[in-house]
Amino acid sequence: MKKLSVFLFICISTLFLSCVSNSSGKKETFDDLEINSEENENNKEVDIRIQQGIKINGNIPGYRIIVTNWGCRESLSLDLVDSLGKTINLINDKQNVKSDDNGMITIDIPYEYGDVTPGLCMLLLSGNPGVHLVQIEYPDSNERTPFELVLAVDDEQYFSADMDKTLYVINDKIVQIFPGEKLYIEADILNEELVNLKRVKSITNPDKTITLEFKQVSEGKQHKYMMLFIENPFEKRLSYSANICLLKYGKWVATDVYDVEAGKSNYEMWPDLITSIALDSFKLIE
């Protein structure tokens, strides 16, 4: 069987993503949860604060934990217990831990850290002067890991492409989905428009989570059609726009899609070989 290579598609797809790059820059401060809090040797209260949306080393989003009146960072042990109870020891990964002469320590931890399971996690700071537990929320990842995209073409050929890291949601409003993926997308409502789109690993807020599934239907090695499934959880009709990346032409083109009735689901089908779909302009209508 022959491998069909279409380099133009990869260039076009990457260009599409890079021209609408994701941005955040928002910082929020949360109070910490302290257990077994103790004063240090100078009888000063240890204070812990958490900042979200920090850019670590210039471009990696994550948390910054600011600890004052701890003393010396050499006496600090860091352990992270994720939402499934798995413990990750951070003692050997202190490149993002800094301290000053006043006993203040800053600890930068990326949102994407090893195999941390998203959800409610606990960061344990232990050593002299005591043990402190800090509650943090690890978000679901918006970054798709590299993968090989494979599509059936016919009995003689198939399509294959090595895809780099890409985003599920771009600029909080555009969802990109590839064949074989099933996505859960949470959204807020503002003036009947869906905003703050966010990919989540599972449905925890069913009243505001859209389900998407995109796949190729084939018989044996023969391509038949592409199919998109979309489920609307809202109490009003859901409209949206779609662009498809056609394998044949290696470019994005607009396509017509039907509105999804309140609380219902739709199937969209195309006879073309489609390597990716981008969905945006989500709105609720009467």
Side-chain angles (χ1 to χ4, degrees):
M1 182 181 292
K2 297 179 181 178
K3 177 179 178 181
L4 182 63
S5 298
V6 181
F7 300 104
L8 184 58
F9 154 69
I10 302 174
C11 296
I12 294 294
S13 178
T14 304
L15 178 61
F16 176 83
L17 289 168
S18 63
C19 71
V20 283
S21 58
N22 190 30
S23 62
S24 175
K26 180 173 67 175
K27 292 186 180 180
E28 299 179 37
T29 303
F30 299 89
D31 293 331
D32 68 295
L33 172 66
E34 293 190 9
I35 301 177
N36 298 330
S37 179
E38 299 179 9
E39 294 180 348
N40 67 7
E41 59 185 5
N42 295 319
N43 296 320
K44 292 183 178 180
E45 189 78 23
V46 174
D47 179 67
I48 301 174
R49 291 180 294 121
I50 307 174
Q51 289 182 317
Q52 178 177 291
I54 296 298
K55 295 294 185 180
I56 301 172
N57 298 326
N59 63 352
I60 303 173
Y63 290 107
R64 174 165 293 167
I65 293 92
I66 301 174
V67 186
T68 54
N69 297 325
W70 184 273
C72 177
R73 72 172 178 173
E74 276 68 34
S75 67
L76 176 66
S77 175
L78 302 174
D79 294 276
L80 182 68
V81 179
D82 72 8
S83 60
L84 292 182
K86 179 178 60 180
T87 301
I88 298 172
N89 187 282
L90 307 178
I91 190 68
N92 295 321
D93 190 11
K94 286 193 175 183
Q95 70 271 24
N96 293 321
V97 179
K98 300 176 182 178
S99 61
D100 63 17
D101 294 335
N102 297 318
M104 184 176 76
I105 302 172
T106 59
I107 307 160
D108 292 345
I109 302 178
Y111 289 152
E112 283 290 299
Y113 193 92
D115 296 324
V116 174
T117 303
L120 193 62
C121 304
M122 299 299 294
L123 180 68
L124 283 71
L125 293 81
S126 55
N128 185 15
V131 178
H132 299 258
L133 273 68
V134 181
Q135 179 176 296
I136 61 178
E137 184 80 16
Y138 255 75
D140 287 277
S141 173
N142 187 42
E143 190 173 82
R144 182 184 286 108
T145 56
F147 69 100
E148 182 185 13
L149 175 62
V150 179
L151 293 174
V153 178
D154 54 36
D155 291 335
E156 300 295 328
Q157 301 178 100
Y158 69 97
F159 170 77
S160 175
D162 292 323
M163 306 302 298
D164 291 330
K165 288 183 179 181
T166 52
L167 301 180
Y168 292 104
V169 180
I170 306 157
N171 275 3
D172 300 328
K173 62 183 180 181
I174 302 172
V175 178
Q176 185 173 26
I177 187 168
F178 288 91
E181 289 187 330
K182 183 175 185 178
L183 305 181
Y184 301 113
I185 305 295
E186 281 191 6
D188 297 323
I189 303 173
L190 179 63
N191 299 326
E192 303 305 319
E193 294 187 2
L194 299 193
V195 297
N196 301 326
L197 272 61
K198 178 178 67 172
R199 178 253 178 180
V200 295
K201 285 190 174 182
S202 60
I203 298 177
T204 56
N205 297 297
D207 58 337
K208 67 172 193 175
T209 304
I210 300 170
T211 300
L212 299 168
E213 187 171 9
F214 182 39
K215 63 182 180 180
Q216 180 187 40
V217 177
S218 58
E219 290 184 3
K221 300 173 184 177
Q222 187 75 36
H223 165 74
K224 289 299 181 182
Y225 57 89
M226 310 296 296
M227 182 169 65
L228 174 71
F229 169 82
I230 177 169
E231 185 173 23
N232 174 18
F234 301 102
E235 297 179 353
K236 293 184 179 180
R237 191 153 40 109
L238 176 65
S239 71
Y240 64 100
S241 299
N243 286 271
I244 55 178
C245 191
L246 297 173
L247 177 63
K248 183 177 181 180
Y249 301 109
K251 66 178 183 179
W252 293 93
V253 297
T255 186
D256 294 329
V257 290
Y258 289 100
D259 296 342
V260 188
E261 295 296 325
K264 303 293 183 180
S265 59
N266 272 5
Y267 287 94
E268 300 285 348
M269 292 179 283
W270 298 266
D272 313 271
L273 272 164
I274 299 171
T275 51
S276 186
I277 300 180
L279 310 173
D280 65 350
S281 302
F282 292 91
K283 297 179 182 179
L284 298 180
I285 55 179
E286 297 292 344

